[in-house]
Amino acid sequence: MSAPEPAACTRCGRTRAAGDDPATALAWVSTRERGVPRWLCPDCARRHVRDIEGKLPDEYW
């Protein structure tokens, strides 16, 4: 079973290209807000790492 492919970053809308560097592809972050899966690109995940770790709702970012 493989992980679901991210459609787009929930914060900036960036999509993951098939030709992306494998290390970059692994840096996408999956979160679950109220049962809905959300994806963050590596840049947005890095920018909001404290918010993610503090489990703040998306509206506070």
Side-chain angles (χ1 to χ4, degrees):
M1 178 182 227
S2 63
E5 291 292 318
C9 177
T10 348
R11 302 298 298 170
C12 70
R14 175 179 164 190
T15 58
R16 192 172 104 182
D20 277 354
D21 175 40
T24 303
L26 289 173
W28 280 75
V29 174
S30 172
T31 63
R32 190 167 289 277
E33 182 77 26
R34 295 184 188 106
V36 177
R38 297 175 188 247
W39 289 93
L40 294 172
C41 70
D43 294 332
C44 289
R46 194 173 307 112
R47 192 173 311 120
H48 296 287
V49 69
R50 288 188 177 134
D51 302 326
I52 295 167
E53 289 177 351
K55 300 187 186 266
L56 292 175
D58 285 355
E59 52 268 4
Y60 288 105
W61 307 4

